[in-house]
Amino acid sequence: MTQNKSTSGRSYLAIPGPSVLPDVVLQAMQRPSPNIYAGELIEMTQGLIPDLKRVARTEHHATIYIGNGHAAWEAALSNTVAPGETVLVPASGMFAFGWGDMAAGIGAQVQYLDFGKSSAWDLERIAEALHADTQHRIKAVLAVHVDTTSSVRNDIAALRKLLDDLDHPALILADCIASMGCDRFEMDAWGVDVAVTASQKGLMVPAGLGFVFFTDKADQARKRLPRVSRYWDWAPRADPEVFYEYFMGTAPTHHLYGLRAALNLIHAESMEQVWSRHARLARAIWAACERWSCSGDLRLNVGDASNRSHAVTSLQLASPDGTRLREWTEQHLGLTLGIGLGMAGNDDPAKDAYFRLGHMGHVNGQMILAMLGGIETGLQALNIDHGSGALEAAARVLAKP
Ligand SMILES: *Cc1c(COP(=O)(O)O)cnc(C)c1O
């Protein structure tokens, strides 16, 4: 039974970004190019800013860059860190090292604290590193909220408390690319100085927009830099005198229409509901995974549920069953699961043990049950040993009021 997923039924791209695009987002983008010098597009863009800030839970500044998450990473660093200055990177997965490497690329000294691939930050070790920094050489902590490779979620509010307790002036730069619009994130209440995200995950828009939110305190850091490259400079973007300055050139017209539709969806549902929907769907997934793991090799990468993302779940089977399962569900069911990323080297056969589930953005209970049913079917088809009762366990979670 091999189906051609392009012609029969809807396929489900259950990878942790890009996420499923809502029909209303696609429809909003299906239009001719607008005038970029006057009219509707300009008014619409101005209206996006307050609605983006509501997603980040900030009263401060919001900027939009044409670029992906890496662009937002670079933008945040370019406005806060000078060559030769130090950044501290507590790492719970590969994306933390990716951001750190970007900091190295702009000439920063990068100090890593590696907590492995299945554990959240150890705040005591972060405290030791900050305490030892008596000269305050560390100008920023690069804090990945949810590391999409491991599916570990870190406690950013606790990091703020730690910096305050130690009276350390380092800024918190938070990577919320996988978490914003999925896991609770409150920029102002948590004392985050700069938050970055991108369009293609919880925000449900195709890849191509990066967002940087920053406070006045972060802007003070920018003002003491010897130079800020023009394209990345957030000042004109956050407070443009002419529309052209929002994007340093031509606006990403169609992405903006898509973003308008996506923000309408998010705020019609409300941030609290968006977060609780993701939490509930994640609990259903974990309940199923815990049943599967009762027999055989399936393992949730993050043991402690309080450190698990609500948007992505990293899993492991015996190698090469992770890869076999992904290939089977894609080919036979039109269900595409995420590859394991950064958990084992490219030449390491163990890399075929890992896979990930994306459950971010435009997802609901029937999609999650279909995804879990697809995995169950693949495990059976491939004779991969697994515990029973996974779908019942997920249904029990979703059946609760
Ligand atoms: C997806 C992701 C990135 C990278 O974003 P790109 O758009 O692929 O550049 C960085 N950090 C996290 C946490 C992510 O989930």
Side-chain angles (χ1 to χ4, degrees), residues 29-42:
M29 298 179 80
Q30 179 90 18
R31 63 171 74 211
S33 287
N35 184 354
I36 58 165
Y37 299 107
E40 180 194 86
L41 181 79
I42 295 176

Side-chain angles (χ1 to χ4, degrees), residues 16 68-71 73 95 144 146-148 175 177-178 198 200-201:
N68 56 14
H70 282 71
W73 272 351
F95 275 122
V144 178
V146 164
D147 200 303
T148 323
D175 172 346
I177 299 172
Q200 77 273 21
K201 298 191 182 174

Side-chain angles (χ1 to χ4, degrees), residues 7 22 31 62 82 93 96 107 168-169 185 203 218 223 292 307 322 327 330 345 359 366 391 401:
T7 55
R31 63 171 74 211
H168 197 293
F185 174 77
L203 295 180
K223 289 191 178 122
W292 282 324
N307 297 332
E327 288 172 354
E330 180 163 69
H359 34 105
Q366 60 93 7
L391 293 177

Side-chain angles (χ1 to χ4, degrees), residues 56-240:
R57 292 277 173 125
T58 182
E59 305 269 299
H60 296 282
H61 309 283
T63 53
I64 309 175
Y65 290 83
I66 300 177
N68 56 14
H70 282 71
W73 272 351
E74 180 127 343
L77 293 166
S78 299
N79 284 279
T80 51
V81 181
E85 291 182 345
T86 301
V87 297
L88 182 67
V89 185
S92 297
M94 195 189 73
F95 275 122
F97 289 95
W99 201 7
D101 188 52
M102 206 136 219
I106 67 159
Q109 302 290 320
V110 186
Q111 187 180 338
Y112 292 104
L113 292 174
D114 189 355
F115 299 110
K117 291 170 178 161
S118 300
S119 305
W121 302 330
D122 176 347
L123 290 165
E124 275 177 32
R125 276 183 59 202
I126 300 179
E128 278 165 26
L130 291 167
H131 192 67
D133 178 38
T134 49
Q135 308 277 314
H136 292 168
R137 289 208 168 84
I138 296 170
K139 298 299 178 201
V141 181
L142 308 190
V144 178
H145 185 207
V146 164
D147 200 303
T148 323
T149 56
S150 61
S151 68
V152 170
R153 186 186 56 215
N154 285 300
D155 187 346
I156 293 192
L159 175 65
R160 163 49 62 203
K161 182 167 182 317
L162 201 151
L163 283 160
D164 288 352
D165 288 350
L166 293 169
D167 223 4
H168 197 293
L171 299 174
I172 297 180
L173 274 48
D175 172 346
C176 304
I177 299 172
S179 58
M180 201 176 285
C182 305
D183 279 277
R184 176 178 293 278
F185 174 77
E186 310 224 27
M187 175 162 168
D188 291 356
W190 294 0
V192 170
D193 301 293
V194 180
V196 303
T197 194
S199 51
Q200 77 273 21
K201 298 191 182 174
L203 295 180
M204 309 178 287
V205 176
L209 299 180
F211 306 93
V212 178
F213 303 88
F214 64 94
T215 60
D216 290 331
K217 181 178 150 206
D219 200 38
Q220 291 302 317
R222 173 190 162 279
K223 289 191 178 122
R224 61 165 186 87
L225 296 183
R227 53 171 278 283
V228 182
S229 69
R230 285 280 185 279
Y231 188 76
W232 297 120
D233 193 354
W234 62 32
R237 291 169 182 265
D239 190 16

